[in-house]
Amino acid sequence: MAPRKSAAAASRKKPAEKSGLNGGITEFDKATELKAYEEMLLIRRFEEKAGQLYGMGFIGGFCHLYIGQEAVVVGMQMALKDGDQVITGYRDHGHMLATGMEARGVMAELTGRRDGYSHGKGGSMHMFSKEKNFYGGHGIVGAQVSLGTGLAFANKYRGNDNVAVAYFGDGAANQGQVYESFNMAALWKLPVIYIVENNRYAMGTSTVRSSAQSNFSLRGNSFGIPGHQVDGMDVRAVHAAAVEAVAHGRAGKGPIILEMLTYRYRGHSMSDPAKYRSKDEVQKMRSEHDPIEQVKARILELKHASEDDLKAIDKKVRDVVADSADFAQNNPEPDVSELYTDIVL
Amino acid sequence: MPIDILMPALSPTMEEGTLSKWLKNEGDSVAAGDVIAEIETDKATMEVEAVDEGTIGKIVVPAGTENVKVNAVIAVLLEDGESASDIGAPKKAEAADAPKESADDAGGKARAADEEPEAAASGKVPAAPKTDVASDPDIPEGTEMVPTTVREALRDAMAEEMRANDDVFIMGEEVAEYQGAYKITQGLLAEFGARRVVDTPITEHGFAGVGVGAAMAGLRPIVEFMTFNFAMQAIDQIINSAAKTLYMSGGQMGAPIVFRGPNGAAARVAAQHSQCYAAWYSHIPGLKVVMPYTAADAKGLLKAAIRDPNPVIFLENEILYGQTFDVPKMDDFVLPIGKARVHKQGKDVTMVSFGIGMTYAVKAVEELSALGIDVELIDLRTIRPMDLPTVIESVKKTGRLVTVEEGYPQNSVGTEIATRVQQQAFDYLDAPIITIAGKDVPMPYAANLEKLALPNVAEVVEAVKTVTYRT
């Protein structure tokens, strides 16, 4: 790559008005609020159903639910355009739904059936959609950060203005390859948006117990990568930051880090003993900061929709999820011949 | 005493070079550290510094001399009070040959000079005895052959593929401005520019992942590892990301990427820089693993690897880089991955080798021929997918099998071949299969121990005698 100058120094300048990158919020119009509500609700209901199916034995292995973090991926996705790529780790069902992947195909993959996105060969942690530019779904903590940087490399190589969005958690943020990627992304000014989904716990280890610098927005400082903390429970804040970060990437200014302050209500995986945090802490987040309840309250307050209208959305979402669960339970297992397909082309 | 200035070695495997230029003349006085000459190898140009102070009494090797052996006297330095008349007869010839004559305790050149006679000394000597090499059915009869080093063949393969497809690019440490740590990418930056010849930071794990991500997005990266020893840092991305994505995505996306670079032991670089990864990577479904010996195979298979839609591990060898073989002059010479080449036909014993293992095999086959044992030598070329049918067919003919490789003995490529051959051709075997490999030790540094740790021609010869009950 030709440009060899170091990346732009971190810009922490305060503009006169609050922008999305320093906590500003752009109010949503009615249509956007309703869209955000529906998309987040779909993820919530889908994940609740996945949890149920896991308990019933339809889903095996590891299953990491996104409940509580819905605003992050929904707000980000709203700022993207066709051709922008998304890649994440193993807490990935929400990202798939947000990129427009079909609930049926995702759920059928969770149950290991033939019409799952990977024909039952990937499972919860390894799912992809070329059509939706969703590049997985990766089970190795941090690997998606280098891969996502490579997606951005391809954009720059091709000279298009697409951006790659690489999601990773506060746990992955301590992996070495994250910083190797930061260095190259800044060096070559790659259009990548690094999203640190800081849900406060890497499995059961809280950020303060795992991270010498637990303000993850500062983790790009050594490379001159600007970083910002965002209220990841408020979809408007996420969206406002996303719009600016995406513009930064499209303009050829290189990588940017958004630390999304968020929270997962459920355990790390389905077998989480939940000994590392109090029930009160979880309850407080649910009752005071729930991303979906926040949108719902605004919609009702501003009379964008009535209770009945929202119930209709709820029903629509429940129907999609019920249909996906039904499909995923009744879809046949992969043909045994699938064992030996898709190994090499 | 006048001080001899010797031709220096610039790398662990250098045996000779060109004395391109003298920067001092006879009669000039020099201080320690002064640059007195420039020397050039196929890999690099370097300056020679004086290590003592004095006056250049005599220039023994004039500027422009090619193939000057390492340790040959190139000039004589006079100390205070000495004159040209104090200089005795130059000892240039002996100096270069010394390591050969006392190989047991020789310095770094022992391995290269003693173990690979066909490579011997000069890169101009064809490594494979031409008379013995069976023609490759993939090369049309009557094709003009051009003597080419493995190094040039690899570079040509990449350049041709980069010309043909803009999605192909190379990234790695020192591939661009330095022209390649082993000069494999020489000239590519000038032709293709910095967009497509990308110097990376020293960050194997990271740039392997970046390469795989770019491949998932549809580009065709060639990722050069300065050596495969360093790829251990990146092995998670190679295996968990590159090799498995096609399967995990139900065939939606894979990683069309080539990971290439020198593999295995060079010379005197010891444990952390001397390991063969053929068996390691060949364990992994989703990868193809190629390990060529000749320059023609290096070229034809690297072009195939770059076009392959799967991740390909392309294992080269530093000692082979400078060796010259005939390469067919064809517009687009591509060889099939997964097909072995019968290097020499024979009827008594089947010998299977690959990569640098072939250097022992070729030499042993020559010696055995003199003893009246006619070996069929198969160069596997690709480790995965393995062309077992070619091996089985040969074993059915000979009833005997010896494998030769440099890697560690446990779970080696040879033990895999032995397992499959005894399963599929048990009734044809007339003797237990012998697998020759490197010794089960980390590579030692000391010249004599290193020599012991590697396979040698004598044990290959002995193995063949054993399976033919000629001992």
Side-chain angles (χ1 to χ4, degrees):
Chain A
M1 309 295 291
R4 279 314 172 96
K5 298 275 191 272
S6 64
S11 80
R12 307 285 292 176
K13 282 176 268 170
K14 297 265 180 186
E17 286 181 35
K18 268 197 161 186
S19 80
L21 290 180
N22 53 46
I25 287 171
T26 311
E27 292 300 337
F28 280 0
D29 61 17
K30 175 183 166 181
T32 312
E33 290 279 32
L34 288 169
K35 179 176 154 69
Y37 178 73
E38 183 173 333
E39 292 194 355
M40 289 194 289
L41 199 62
L42 175 65
I43 295 172
R44 172 91 36 112
R45 296 288 171 260
F46 183 95
E47 293 289 65
E48 288 166 351
K49 182 61 77 179
Q52 283 173 22
L53 292 183
Y54 192 92
M56 294 160 68
F58 280 100
I59 296 173
F62 295 127
C63 184
H64 310 87
L65 303 180
Y66 197 61
I67 294 172
Q69 302 180 214
E70 297 90 342
V72 175
V73 75
V74 168
M76 282 303 304
Q77 198 65 27
M78 284 176 161
L80 301 184
K81 70 170 187 180
D82 270 1
D84 293 340
Q85 305 110 324
V86 173
I87 190 167
T88 188
Y90 48 74
R91 195 176 304 286
D92 52 3
H93 313 157
H95 302 71
M96 298 172 199
L97 296 172
T99 56
M101 290 168 67
E102 299 288 339
R104 276 186 166 200
V106 178
M107 197 69 92
E109 189 60 38
L110 296 186
T111 56
R113 304 305 171 95
R114 69 174 52 173
D115 290 312
Y117 268 95
S118 302
H119 308 316
K121 296 196 282 193
S124 166
M125 299 184 287
H126 318 106
M127 238 183 287
F128 306 78
S129 170
K130 190 148 198 156
E131 184 198 353
K132 300 294 181 188
N133 273 308
F134 180 70
Y135 286 82
H138 294 270
I140 304 298
V141 176
Q144 76 274 20
V145 180
S146 305
L147 295 168
T149 306
L151 297 171
F153 181 97
N155 294 337
K156 172 129 187 169
Y157 188 88
R158 290 180 166 132
N160 63 35
D161 72 344
N162 282 119
V163 298
V165 183
Y167 292 86
F168 53 105
D170 47 279
N174 290 327
Q175 286 279 21
Q177 65 178 313
V178 170
Y179 300 92
E180 299 188 21
S181 300
F182 282 3
N183 183 42
M184 285 180 279
L187 188 67
W188 299 332
K189 290 202 170 186
L190 301 180
V192 54
I193 300 169
Y194 295 115
I195 305 294
V196 186
E197 295 196 71
N198 178 0
N199 64 19
R200 303 194 193 176
Y201 298 93
M203 280 190 72
T205 306
S206 68
T207 53
V208 292
R209 292 203 300 124
S210 63
S211 302
Q213 171 53 272
S214 56
N215 179 339
F216 295 96
S217 72
L218 302 178
R219 290 289 186 97
N221 273 2
S222 302
F223 312 95
I225 302 176
H228 304 272
Q229 284 189 319
V230 179
D231 178 359
M233 303 302 274
D234 185 339
V235 69
R236 299 167 305 169
V238 172
H239 180 254
V243 167
E244 292 192 30
V246 167
H248 178 92
R250 294 211 204 292
K253 294 178 181 171
I256 185 166
I257 296 168
L258 300 182
E259 178 190 1
M260 301 291 179
L261 302 169
T262 185
Y263 199 77
R264 82 172 135 71
Y265 298 171
R266 297 293 187 93
H268 160 72
S269 66
M270 303 306 291
S271 53
D272 187 324
K275 298 286 190 203
Y276 51 86
R277 61 183 184 183
S278 69
K279 286 200 171 74
D280 287 353
E281 179 185 301
V282 181
Q283 197 48 45
K284 191 171 158 65
M285 287 302 291
R286 291 189 90 122
S287 57
E288 295 176 13
H289 298 282
D290 186 76
I292 299 174
E293 289 303 321
Q294 288 188 49
V295 179
K296 186 176 180 180
R298 286 198 304 271
I299 289 172
L300 293 173
E301 188 190 338
L302 296 168
K303 300 202 180 342
H304 285 327
S306 68
E307 289 272 7
D308 283 348
D309 295 335
L310 293 185
K311 276 185 184 152
I313 293 175
D314 292 4
K315 179 167 187 323
K316 182 180 158 196
V317 166
R318 279 183 197 282
D319 287 349
V320 169
V321 171
D323 170 72
S324 75
D326 190 48
F327 179 79
Q329 290 171 81
N330 293 306
N331 191 235
E333 289 188 312
D335 191 274
V336 292
S337 67
E338 284 285 353
L339 181 63
Y340 288 109
T341 59
D342 307 323
I343 297 167
V344 291
L345 290 170
Chain B
M1 269 286 285
I3 299 164
D4 289 343
I5 300 174
L6 305 180
M7 182 74 169
L10 303 179
S11 76
T13 53
M14 174 176 164
E15 293 161 34
E16 60 178 25
T18 298
L19 205 165
S20 43
K21 194 166 158 189
W22 280 105
L23 301 171
K24 298 284 182 186
N25 296 313
E26 287 180 3
D28 286 356
S29 60
V30 296
D34 283 356
V35 178
I36 56 172
E38 284 179 8
I39 60 175
E40 197 179 331
T41 68
D42 54 351
K43 280 199 283 194
T45 301
M46 296 281 287
E47 292 173 337
V48 182
E49 292 178 5
V51 290
D52 290 289
E53 62 177 14
T55 306
I56 301 281
K58 183 174 172 59
I59 286 177
V60 179
V61 177
T65 308
E66 292 181 359
N67 306 328
V68 182
K69 304 280 186 231
V70 167
N71 284 342
V73 177
I74 55 174
V76 182
L77 195 66
L78 301 174
E79 294 181 286
D80 269 356
E82 293 174 344
S83 72
S85 60
D86 294 321
I87 301 171
K91 302 170 282 183
K92 53 188 170 185
E94 298 79 57
D97 292 340
K100 264 192 202 171
E101 290 173 358
S102 54
D104 283 339
D105 57 358
K109 306 294 109 40
R111 165 163 156 71
D114 193 49
E115 290 296 332
E116 285 99 47
E118 53 290 308
S122 154
K124 291 192 302 185
V125 178
K130 275 185 196 169
T131 48
D132 277 337
V133 180
S135 61
D136 188 333
D138 288 303
I139 301 171
E141 203 75 31
T143 304
E144 183 191 342
M145 301 299 269
V146 181
T148 309
T149 62
V150 171
R151 172 178 288 112
E152 293 162 340
L154 292 167
R155 192 265 320 276
D156 292 349
M158 289 190 284
E160 286 176 22
E161 293 306 299
M162 288 175 77
R163 278 173 212 133
N165 183 354
D166 184 67
D167 285 343
V168 179
F169 68 96
I170 177 151
M171 69 190 305
E173 293 155 6
E174 309 295 359
V175 298
E177 297 194 4
Y178 195 95
Q179 307 293 324
Y182 295 103
K183 243 182 173 181
I184 306 302
T185 52
Q186 191 174 26
L188 295 183
L189 176 64
E191 179 172 355
F192 299 103
R195 171 176 168 264
R196 300 181 67 196
V197 185
V198 184
D199 273 333
T200 65
I202 300 172
T203 183
E204 284 85 6
H205 194 184
F207 71 69
V210 168
V212 175
M216 288 169 72
L219 296 183
R220 296 275 176 157
I222 305 165
V223 171
E224 176 175 307
F225 291 116
M226 194 178 289
T227 101
F228 264 93
N229 296 285
F230 306 159
M232 294 257 263
Q233 300 245 24
I235 204 163
D236 172 65
Q237 289 289 5
I238 296 171
I239 290 170
N240 271 318
S241 300
K244 296 178 182 172
T245 296
L246 185 69
Y247 197 78
M248 297 191 302
S249 70
Q252 286 186 76
M253 63 179 76
I257 187 169
V258 177
F259 296 103
R260 53 151 289 271
N263 166 67
R268 306 295 309 281
V269 291
Q272 292 180 338
H273 284 67
S274 308
Q275 186 165 322
C276 175
Y277 290 89
W280 286 59
Y281 289 111
S282 76
H283 188 62
I284 306 299
L287 292 180
K288 292 186 177 181
V289 182
V290 177
M291 190 157 161
Y293 163 54
T294 70
D297 289 348
K299 182 174 184 186
L301 288 168
L302 183 53
K303 281 167 68 79
I306 294 166
R307 291 181 197 185
D308 199 282
N310 303 289
V312 180
I313 307 292
F314 198 90
L315 302 170
E316 302 159 8
N317 186 285
E318 189 192 332
I319 288 168
L320 294 177
Y321 279 153
Q323 295 195 24
T324 300
F325 298 81
D326 280 348
V327 173
K329 191 174 180 181
M330 292 165 65
D331 285 344
D332 191 20
F333 173 60
V334 186
L335 287 169
I337 290 175
K339 200 169 151 195
R341 179 175 54 80
V342 178
H343 188 83
K344 177 197 162 293
Q345 289 176 338
K347 60 181 182 357
D348 297 334
V349 178
T350 300
M351 189 181 292
V352 178
S353 188
F354 50 90
I356 192 157
M358 284 292 290
T359 58
Y360 307 101
V362 165
K363 180 66 185 160
V365 165
E366 273 181 58
E367 288 187 19
L368 288 159
S369 178
L371 299 174
I373 301 175
D374 185 17
V375 177
E376 177 143 301
L377 176 55
I378 295 171
D379 181 352
L380 214 47
R381 300 198 291 193
T382 302
I383 315 301
R384 181 188 189 95
M386 193 182 282
D387 184 3
L388 204 66
T390 295
V391 177
I392 297 280
E393 193 188 337
S394 177
V395 169
K396 284 181 175 176
K397 185 169 67 177
T398 64
R400 295 165 166 88
L401 176 62
V402 171
T403 65
V404 184
E405 68 195 293
E406 277 198 354
Y408 298 136
Q410 181 164 331
N411 304 339
S412 67
V413 176
T415 59
E416 173 66 18
I417 295 170
T419 299
R420 295 213 232 164
V421 167
Q422 66 86 11
Q423 285 167 348
Q424 297 179 34
F426 184 77
D427 289 342
Y428 293 88
L429 287 171
D430 293 325
I433 298 163
I434 296 183
T435 57
I436 301 288
K439 305 305 179 289
D440 205 10
V441 298
M443 185 62 73
Y445 169 70
N448 63 331
L449 297 182
E450 179 189 58
K451 193 166 179 288
L452 289 170
L454 290 162
N456 61 64
V457 173
E459 64 188 355
V460 177
V461 168
E462 202 54 36
V464 170
K465 286 185 182 170
T466 301
V467 299
T468 51
Y469 305 108
R470 297 275 289 262
T471 46

